[in-house]
Amino acid sequence: MTTTTKKPLSDIEIANKATMKPILEIAENAQIPLDAVEQYGRFKAKIDTSKISGEATAKVVLVTAISPTPAGEGKSTVTIGLADALHQLDKRVMVALREPSLGPVMGVKGGATGGGYAQVLPMEQINLHFNGDFHAITTANNALSALIDNHIHQGNALNIDPRRIVWKRVLDLNDRALRHVTVGLGGPMQGVPREDGFDITVASEIMAIFCLATSLKDLKQRLARIVIGYTYDRNPVTVGDLQVEGALALILKEAMNPNLVQTIEGTPALIHGGPFANIAHGCNSITATQTARKLADIVVTEAGFGSDLGAEKFLNIKAREAGFKPSAVVIVATIRALKMHGGVAKANLVEENVDALKQGIANLAQHVANVRNFGLEPVIALNRFITDSEQELKAVLQWAAANEVRIARTNVWEEGGKGGIELAEKVLEVIEQPNTFHHLYDLQETVEQKLTKIVQQVYGGAGVQLTDAAKKQLAVIEKNGWDTLPICMAKTQYSLSDQPSLVGRPTDFVVTIREILPKLGAGFLVCLTGDIMTMPGLPKQPAALNMDVAEDGSALGLF
Amino acid sequence: MTTTTKKPLSDIEIANKATMKPILEIAENAQIPLDAVEQYGRFKAKIDTSKISGEATAKVVLVTAISPTPAGEGKSTVTIGLADALHQLDKRVMVALREPSLGPVMGVKGGATGGGYAQVLPMEQINLHFNGDFHAITTANNALSALIDNHIHQGNALNIDPRRIVWKRVLDLNDRALRHVTVGLGGPMQGVPREDGFDITVASEIMAIFCLATSLKDLKQRLARIVIGYTYDRNPVTVGDLQVEGALALILKEAMNPNLVQTIEGTPALIHGGPFANIAHGCNSITATQTARKLADIVVTEAGFGSDLGAEKFLNIKAREAGFKPSAVVIVATIRALKMHGGVAKANLVEENVDALKQGIANLAQHVANVRNFGLEPVIALNRFITDSEQELKAVLQWAAANEVRIARTNVWEEGGKGGIELAEKVLEVIEQPNTFHHLYDLQETVEQKLTKIVQQVYGGAGVQLTDAAKKQLAVIEKNGWDTLPICMAKTQYSLSDQPSLVGRPTDFVVTIREILPKLGAGFLVCLTGDIMTMPGLPKQPAALNMDVAEDGSALGLF
């Protein structure tokens, strides 16, 4: 898989040149019973989880990262490359990833399926509609909106206050014009006018529910618990009150089965679900992870953004709901990104700058501490970049040695699994050892106690303060008995604090909780620390402008 | 397939009891090359049309109906039953149908895949997401909207007037609250405020394009021609001007391959596309029909509503674009519905009423005349209902004999193909004879000439008048050279006239054209004769309230 050409191929060129195995062969190699495999074309399948027996016993390796920077760290690429490396070492391994959202694909990303020789295939279909899961979630979300507005229009037996509906519509697109809309205009035959807005589908509570539900029954119960708004008397109104959880579950049923695909090297991959890591919990579905844990000995999975966001929620929310203990955590870092945390501008990253690098390592240090605070031992994946200098490399390795953290260089973009062997070997060392994994807080602690633990032990901050609005919301939450839910922090990904500009390792900061939104279906309290964008916009030159389809049907312009 | 039980099973009960053949077996029986079959689960497939060689030579049988009434005629059921009957007679037959829209399924219908023992399977998946085609169309439509609003927000290089954008967003749901909305609210960072609205996906011009495109190249060219609005100088702005036809085609690419399923009796069915028959042309895709014509000797297909709507457009638009000549037309009627056209209220349909029936037959007579005006010979399918009396039956048969129209009783709901044998035999008689099929108008005729021919020869009316607004629009259309496009009438389905209450066979009426909308991508001029609902609403008790999914995963509440 090593390429020796000077000008590297683009991701889609590499993907198009790769020879895929029929998905039935991938399934057979993974010992998936063939009657559980529902083919979707030649190279994709859905796995009927009701036909997968056995216990979910595989060890879980979580891949996280330092605080993301515009330099890019390559977390998905490393996740895939690590799985390929373990596969090369003859381990029974599966990789479990999130599905890409079409909005960013058409906006800035052009694709989100790893890179270089560490990709999942078929790249094009995974990046577009995949097997329709996000479309099912969009449809369920918007069917609920239509049913709410219809309920009010048809007499409003539940006494819903149209001004206090919190359920928003969604589309899986970047569309800023839909952030704030008014609906129901045009007169008495066209519904009841009210303010509304659209989020991107990955921000839908149904996406979070989809990823946390452990069975169809659990799915339905969670859907029924969704609070869609409040009555004129300020009492919560749920999906269960509207009696439509059955219809929503029916819309989601087919999508609930995880999707099997393969890496370029033929490692089996389950890709399923994809909630935001800021407003939601940022991990692929429990269904996929637990199915992979029944089928393999090691499951490599990832969580969104840095360890302060996706990993914290993976460990405090997803692992708790699913009832498993992770065995190791990989923290992806690059010298480039660490230099940005040390204050270097993106334009100057090609220049060697050991001093800035040493400063930026402070960010990595916090992420290492975070993992250890959960009783887990991290392995740093230092993802190679062509501009890395020997002096810079030395500085990072010295720091790691001094802090007794395992570190491995990875070169999976260029070499595939071979470029992840060193990382794989260190991960194997860690997962053989016992660990003392524990959640960071108990559910019975107060909301403020939980928040304080997250801020102090994961962000490295001093503490937390609630705005008056948040205090009011917390009072309602406590009154309704919802305060025993876990916390889902909604925070900028760019800083360990709640201030995006504070890169590196800020200290002594107090995090402000502006709002606390109960998401009873997902089963967590979203605590907003700032303006979290739940519907992105398109850039001046959207990636869509480069996309095309050739007359022979091949896709162009996916990166 | 005959059932002798007194209390008939529901459609979904019958569907769930049916034993489906693996889709590969259906494909093999239909002599579809296996490398053209992309399985989507065990019982659905997409057909890669690039792998289907040969000429499209099968004879085409079009199934249409009298003007629809609340009594229901069972057109899809007869279409499927006729194909099954031809299959029983050892003909190489395929049925080509439209895909159901989720909006009506969740609103009033609960399902739209035929009925009784004349159904296509898997009923549940076809009625829900099927293979994602409508989701792809929704996404392409709304991606275009997002790109338009982004273009304006980012500087508006094309000088688009936000007040003159004609491109609307869509969802495949019944959602009246989205008919009239304002978007882009919230300040300068949230886009440019403007009025907008959502149609149901089946009303999207992209749906019409999807169904009329004959290749990927044609698809892209049609997309590029879509007029999304006008500049401040009133010049049209197209998708080509925005340079995003490639991205939209990429989103649609996978969906462009038609979907193979089976009837309860194992007859191969291609189900693909589903434009509205009022605002659009109301037929399944040309791709599906032509693919079926390469694979079979006879293709049975249907068009929406009565012969004045779907069939007129099938014959004047679809057959012209695809370049084929139909061989026979079946007109579905029921005694119940004819009695409604004779003035009987729905509640009184159980009573024998030969006089009203005779009056109502006038509606059927116009539909027979319509078909003959195209140089085709109709066969009436008199779809049996339990309340039909011998006297009523005699009256219809006598009328048919007097007018020398072939007529056959069908009982396909109860008996499947066996209940359609008589119809099949009469259809076989007709398709063996030569016909003098011709389009009703030439494209070079003026818009008013084309309109007059449709009104006089298809509706039985006196003529046509244009409102001042329509005249203005026609002037713009002529100025731009768009007047050589075919006409797509947008008219109520309940009457042959433009007045929904005029059932039976109204005469001497003048049809008012209120607006003429150029749809350059679809390649027709939509002529609006009244308020055509392009976004339905939900009823007081939506079908969704009955829908559910059992713990074993089976669907409940689809009828």
Side-chain angles (χ1 to χ4, degrees):
Chain A
M1 284 295 165
T2 312
T3 172
T4 52
T5 50
K6 288 296 169 203
K7 194 191 167 207
L9 298 172
S10 73
D11 289 349
I12 189 152
E13 285 169 330
I14 293 169
N16 285 344
K17 275 173 195 282
T19 308
M20 284 184 278
K21 294 192 179 119
I23 198 65
L24 287 180
E25 192 181 326
I26 296 291
E28 213 168 335
N29 292 346
Q31 293 170 284
I32 302 175
L34 287 189
D35 71 337
V37 182
E38 297 266 336
Q39 283 192 74
Y40 276 61
R42 268 174 238 305
F43 303 109
K44 299 176 296 162
K46 277 199 167 278
I47 304 302
D48 181 347
T49 53
S50 71
K51 305 242 168 70
I52 306 291
S53 51
E55 292 296 303
T57 53
K59 298 199 167 173
V60 174
V61 178
L62 173 66
V63 180
T64 182
I66 58 170
S67 303
T69 71
E73 293 73 42
K75 189 172 56 192
S76 297
T77 307
V78 170
T79 307
I80 295 162
L82 170 59
D84 282 338
L86 290 163
H87 196 221
Q88 286 194 18
L89 295 173
D90 291 326
K91 300 297 172 190
R92 288 181 65 224
V93 61
M94 287 188 95
V95 57
L97 298 171
R98 289 172 294 162
E99 302 184 46
S101 163
L102 197 55
V105 166
M106 299 203 58
V108 287
K109 280 193 175 177
T113 42
Y117 289 89
Q119 291 190 55
V120 279
L121 305 176
M123 184 265 214
E124 172 192 330
Q125 282 129 306
I126 297 171
N127 274 310
L128 294 172
H129 310 289
F130 208 12
N131 294 339
D133 298 345
F134 283 19
H135 292 316
I137 291 165
T138 302
T139 303
N141 185 106
N142 294 338
L144 176 53
S145 291
L147 288 158
I148 293 167
D149 279 316
N150 187 59
H151 178 90
I152 297 171
H153 177 75
Q154 302 281 4
N156 200 7
L158 289 172
N159 199 33
I160 299 167
D161 184 346
R163 304 163 304 175
R164 289 198 168 81
I165 294 172
V166 294
W167 189 255
K168 289 165 79 179
R169 290 173 164 90
V170 298
L171 283 180
D172 190 26
L173 289 169
N174 286 10
D175 193 346
R176 73 169 65 69
L178 292 178
R179 286 174 190 157
H180 303 282
V181 303
T182 51
V183 301
L185 305 177
M189 301 307 292
Q190 325 292 344
V192 177
R194 65 178 181 91
E195 289 183 45
D196 194 11
F198 285 70
D199 288 336
I200 191 164
T201 299
V202 295
S204 169
E205 185 175 355
I206 293 183
M207 174 66 84
I209 289 171
F210 181 88
C211 290
L212 290 170
T214 52
S215 67
L216 272 179
K217 189 178 167 187
D218 184 38
L219 175 72
K220 239 159 65 178
Q221 289 171 340
R222 285 173 181 270
L223 290 166
R225 286 198 297 263
I226 293 174
V227 174
I228 61 95
Y230 296 84
T231 65
Y232 285 102
D233 314 320
R234 313 261 178 118
N235 292 315
V237 179
T238 65
V239 167
D241 295 330
L242 287 160
Q243 298 176 288
V244 295
E245 67 273 20
L248 303 187
L250 181 59
I251 292 172
L252 294 169
K253 186 191 76 160
E254 206 179 326
M256 280 294 288
N257 284 325
N259 308 293
L260 178 69
V261 290
Q262 63 191 287
T263 69
I264 284 186
E265 299 189 8
T267 306
L270 287 185
I271 306 194
H272 198 225
F276 254 166
N278 40 21
I279 191 81
H281 66 289
C283 324
N284 71 307
S285 77
I286 285 181
T287 307
T289 302
Q290 293 296 68
T291 302
R293 292 187 67 226
K294 290 181 185 174
L295 293 164
D297 293 329
I298 304 173
V299 173
V300 183
T301 188
E302 58 159 0
F305 300 135
S307 80
D308 50 324
L309 283 166
E312 183 269 309
K313 298 174 195 180
F314 182 94
L315 298 170
N316 276 326
I317 300 174
K318 179 177 172 177
R320 191 187 318 245
E321 292 285 332
F324 63 75
K325 294 184 178 213
S327 297
V329 178
V330 172
I331 303 171
V332 180
T334 63
I335 285 171
R336 278 161 61 85
L338 290 173
K339 285 197 286 187
M340 287 198 84
H341 277 294
V344 179
K346 196 176 173 190
N348 302 329
L349 287 176
V350 288
E351 295 159 24
E352 183 180 276
N353 191 334
V354 178
D355 287 344
L357 175 66
K358 283 180 178 168
Q359 275 207 292
I361 285 175
N363 183 269
L364 175 59
Q366 179 70 45
H367 291 285
V368 168
N370 286 350
V371 174
R372 287 180 169 162
N373 282 341
F374 282 93
L376 293 168
E377 190 50 34
V379 181
I380 296 165
L382 191 66
N383 201 14
R384 191 191 126 163
F385 213 84
I386 196 85
T387 53
D388 299 349
S389 81
E390 280 307 309
Q391 288 307 312
E392 288 172 336
L393 179 65
K394 215 171 116 185
V396 180
L397 297 181
Q398 276 175 349
W399 172 84
N403 288 272
E404 294 182 342
V405 200
R406 284 178 183 78
I407 185 165
R409 294 182 72 191
T410 54
N411 191 22
V412 295
W413 197 100
E414 198 174 327
E415 297 184 302
K418 194 183 147 205
I421 293 288
E422 186 191 344
L423 175 63
E425 284 167 344
K426 295 202 171 158
V427 165
L428 288 172
E429 275 176 36
V430 173
I431 66 177
E432 290 312 319
Q433 298 170 1
N435 66 51
T436 59
F437 172 70
H438 54 272
H439 309 301
L440 218 58
Y441 54 79
D442 289 330
L443 298 179
Q444 299 308 322
E445 296 178 55
T446 68
V447 170
E448 276 170 304
Q449 283 170 329
K450 295 175 202 172
L451 284 167
T452 304
K453 282 197 175 171
I454 292 170
V455 170
Q456 291 178 345
Q457 295 184 38
V458 182
Y459 303 167
V464 69
Q465 65 185 11
L466 274 64
T467 62
D468 286 349
K471 281 180 191 160
K472 261 193 191 168
Q473 290 166 320
L474 183 55
V476 173
I477 285 163
E478 286 171 345
K479 185 189 120 201
N480 283 297
W482 301 334
D483 51 331
T484 56
L485 293 172
I487 302 296
C488 182
M489 291 295 278
K491 183 181 74 68
T492 176
Q493 65 266 36
Y494 297 113
S495 171
L496 286 158
S497 76
D498 55 353
Q499 306 298 319
S501 58
L502 296 181
V503 294
R505 189 181 190 173
T507 50
D508 296 326
F509 57 88
V510 173
V511 169
T512 305
I513 305 295
R514 301 193 191 191
E515 285 195 77
I516 308 183
L517 310 175
K519 300 287 181 185
L520 301 193
F524 50 59
L525 303 174
V526 173
C527 296
L528 289 162
T529 63
D531 284 331
I532 300 296
M533 180 61 66
T534 51
M535 172 53 98
L538 288 168
K540 195 167 173 97
Q541 293 289 322
L545 295 181
N546 302 316
M547 291 180 184
D548 204 350
V549 50
E551 276 181 48
D552 71 352
S554 54
L556 305 169
L558 293 169
F559 307 122
Chain B
M1 283 294 166
T2 311
T3 171
T4 51
T5 49
K6 289 297 169 200
K7 193 190 169 206
L9 298 171
S10 72
D11 289 349
I12 190 153
E13 284 168 333
I14 293 169
N16 284 344
K17 276 173 193 281
T19 307
M20 284 184 276
K21 293 190 179 119
I23 200 65
L24 286 180
E25 192 180 326
I26 297 291
E28 212 168 338
N29 292 347
Q31 294 171 284
I32 301 174
L34 286 190
D35 70 337
V37 182
E38 298 265 338
Q39 284 193 73
Y40 277 61
R42 269 175 236 303
F43 303 110
K44 299 176 295 161
K46 279 201 166 276
I47 304 301
D48 181 347
T49 53
S50 71
K51 304 241 169 71
I52 306 290
S53 52
E55 293 295 301
T57 53
K59 298 199 168 171
V60 174
V61 178
L62 173 66
V63 180
T64 180
I66 60 170
S67 303
T69 71
E73 292 73 41
K75 189 172 56 192
S76 298
T77 307
V78 171
T79 307
I80 295 162
L82 170 58
D84 282 337
L86 290 163
H87 196 221
Q88 286 194 17
L89 296 173
D90 289 328
K91 301 297 173 191
R92 287 181 65 225
V93 62
M94 287 188 93
V95 58
L97 298 171
R98 288 171 294 161
E99 302 183 45
S101 164
L102 198 55
V105 166
M106 298 202 59
V108 287
K109 280 191 171 177
T113 43
Y117 290 90
Q119 291 190 56
V120 278
L121 304 175
M123 185 265 213
E124 171 193 331
Q125 281 129 307
I126 298 170
N127 275 311
L128 294 173
H129 310 288
F130 208 12
N131 294 339
D133 299 346
F134 283 19
H135 292 315
I137 291 165
T138 303
T139 303
N141 185 107
N142 294 338
L144 176 53
S145 292
L147 288 159
I148 293 167
D149 279 315
N150 187 58
H151 179 90
I152 297 170
H153 177 75
Q154 302 282 2
N156 200 9
L158 291 171
N159 199 31
I160 300 168
D161 184 345
R163 302 163 306 175
R164 289 196 168 82
I165 294 171
V166 295
W167 189 256
K168 289 166 76 179
R169 289 173 164 90
V170 299
L171 283 181
D172 192 25
L173 290 169
N174 287 9
D175 192 347
R176 75 170 63 71
L178 292 179
R179 286 175 189 156
H180 303 283
V181 302
T182 50
V183 301
L185 305 176
M189 300 308 292
Q190 325 291 346
V192 177
R194 65 179 182 90
E195 288 183 46
D196 195 10
F198 283 70
D199 288 336
I200 190 164
T201 299
V202 295
S204 170
E205 185 176 356
I206 293 183
M207 174 65 85
I209 289 171
F210 181 87
C211 290
L212 290 170
T214 52
S215 67
L216 271 179
K217 190 179 165 185
D218 184 39
L219 174 72
K220 238 159 68 178
Q221 288 171 342
R222 286 174 181 271
L223 291 167
R225 287 198 297 265
I226 293 173
V227 174
I228 62 97
Y230 297 85
T231 64
Y232 284 102
D233 314 321
R234 312 262 179 117
N235 293 315
V237 179
T238 65
V239 168
D241 295 330
L242 287 161
Q243 298 178 286
V244 296
E245 67 273 22
L248 303 187
L250 181 60
I251 292 172
L252 295 168
K253 186 190 75 160
E254 204 178 328
M256 281 294 287
N257 284 326
N259 308 294
L260 178 70
V261 291
Q262 63 191 290
T263 69
I264 285 186
E265 299 190 9
T267 306
L270 287 184
I271 306 193
H272 198 225
F276 253 167
N278 41 20
I279 192 82
H281 67 289
C283 324
N284 72 308
S285 77
I286 285 182
T287 307
T289 302
Q290 294 294 70
T291 302
R293 291 187 66 226
K294 290 181 186 175
L295 293 165
D297 293 329
I298 304 173
V299 174
V300 183
T301 188
E302 60 159 358
F305 301 135
S307 82
D308 51 324
L309 282 166
E312 183 269 309
K313 298 175 195 180
F314 182 93
L315 299 170
N316 276 326
I317 299 174
K318 178 177 173 178
R320 194 190 312 249
E321 293 283 333
F324 64 74
K325 295 183 177 212
S327 297
V329 178
V330 172
I331 303 171
V332 179
T334 63
I335 284 171
R336 280 160 58 86
L338 290 173
K339 286 196 288 189
M340 287 199 85
H341 278 294
V344 179
K346 195 176 173 189
N348 301 328
L349 286 176
V350 289
E351 296 160 24
E352 182 179 275
N353 190 335
V354 178
D355 288 343
L357 175 66
K358 283 180 177 168
Q359 276 206 293
I361 285 175
N363 183 271
L364 175 59
Q366 179 68 44
H367 290 284
V368 168
N370 286 349
V371 173
R372 286 179 169 163
N373 283 341
F374 281 93
L376 293 168
E377 192 49 36
V379 182
I380 296 165
L382 191 66
N383 202 14
R384 192 191 128 163
F385 212 86
I386 197 85
T387 53
D388 300 349
S389 82
E390 280 306 309
Q391 289 307 311
E392 289 172 334
L393 179 63
K394 215 169 114 185
V396 180
L397 297 180
Q398 276 175 350
W399 172 86
N403 288 272
E404 296 183 339
V405 200
R406 284 179 182 78
I407 186 166
R409 293 182 73 190
T410 54
N411 191 22
V412 296
W413 197 101
E414 197 174 328
E415 298 184 303
K418 193 182 150 208
I421 293 287
E422 186 191 347
L423 175 64
E425 284 167 346
K426 295 201 171 159
V427 165
L428 288 171
E429 273 174 38
V430 173
I431 66 175
E432 290 311 319
Q433 297 170 359
N435 66 51
T436 59
F437 171 70
H438 54 274
H439 309 302
L440 218 59
Y441 53 80
D442 291 328
L443 297 179
Q444 299 308 321
E445 296 178 55
T446 67
V447 169
E448 276 171 300
Q449 284 171 329
K450 295 176 203 172
L451 284 167
T452 304
K453 282 195 174 172
I454 292 170
V455 169
Q456 291 177 347
Q457 296 184 38
V458 182
Y459 303 168
V464 69
Q465 65 184 11
L466 274 65
T467 62
D468 287 348
K471 281 179 190 160
K472 262 193 193 168
Q473 291 168 318
L474 183 54
V476 173
I477 285 164
E478 287 170 344
K479 186 189 119 201
N480 283 297
W482 301 334
D483 50 331
T484 57
L485 292 173
I487 303 296
C488 182
M489 292 294 279
K491 185 181 74 67
T492 174
Q493 64 267 36
Y494 297 112
S495 171
L496 287 157
S497 76
D498 55 352
Q499 307 298 319
S501 57
L502 297 182
V503 294
R505 187 183 193 174
T507 50
D508 297 326
F509 57 88
V510 172
V511 169
T512 304
I513 307 294
R514 300 194 192 190
E515 284 195 78
I516 309 183
L517 309 175
K519 301 287 181 184
L520 302 193
F524 50 58
L525 303 173
V526 173
C527 296
L528 290 162
T529 64
D531 285 330
I532 301 295
M533 182 59 66
T534 50
M535 173 52 99
L538 288 169
K540 196 165 171 99
Q541 293 290 322
L545 295 182
N546 303 316
M547 292 180 183
D548 204 350
V549 51
E551 274 181 51
D552 72 351
S554 54
L556 306 170
L558 293 169
F559 307 122

